[in-house]
Amino acid sequence: MEILSLISNNGFIVLNKGLIKILGINATIMLGELASEYDYWEKQNNLDEEGYFYSTIENVENNTTIKEKRQRKAINNLKN
């Protein structure tokens, strides 16, 4: 079995190496996680009328291990 197929079997977050260099690891992880959640909710046809979805700090931490303070910093980094 290939190593890549082992680690990407399920529960993975897509990360772009170029974005890691530009945004930093936590912001890139947040972006990948939120993109993954968006895709999930879009496939479930559960985005709101404006195309948004809802996720909690706890949910993101559970999926990424990034704590609240670092999540907020990563989100601010993405906004900037």
Side-chain angles (χ1 to χ4, degrees):
M1 181 177 276
E2 292 181 31
I3 292 174
L4 189 56
S5 67
L6 263 176
I7 63 173
S8 67
N9 192 14
N10 60 29
F12 61 92
I13 300 170
V14 176
L15 299 176
N16 180 293
K17 293 176 186 177
L19 287 179
I20 292 171
K21 291 177 183 178
I22 296 167
L23 300 173
I25 190 72
N26 287 336
T28 305
I29 290 171
M30 286 290 295
L31 182 60
E33 173 61 18
L34 294 174
S36 177
E37 285 193 46
Y38 177 88
D39 283 347
Y40 172 80
W41 291 116
E42 183 180 42
K43 288 177 185 172
Q44 300 296 316
N45 201 27
N46 280 328
L47 297 175
D48 72 10
E49 292 175 0
E50 296 178 5
Y52 292 101
F53 66 95
Y54 178 79
S55 187
T56 64
I57 291 167
E58 292 81 12
N59 182 58
V60 173
E61 182 176 345
N62 185 51
N63 291 336
T64 66
T65 74
I66 300 174
K67 304 286 186 201
E68 178 179 358
K69 183 176 178 181
R70 291 181 188 239
Q71 286 182 42
R72 292 186 190 282
K73 186 175 180 182
I75 290 169
N76 285 333
N77 190 7
L78 290 169
K79 286 179 183 178
N80 292 331

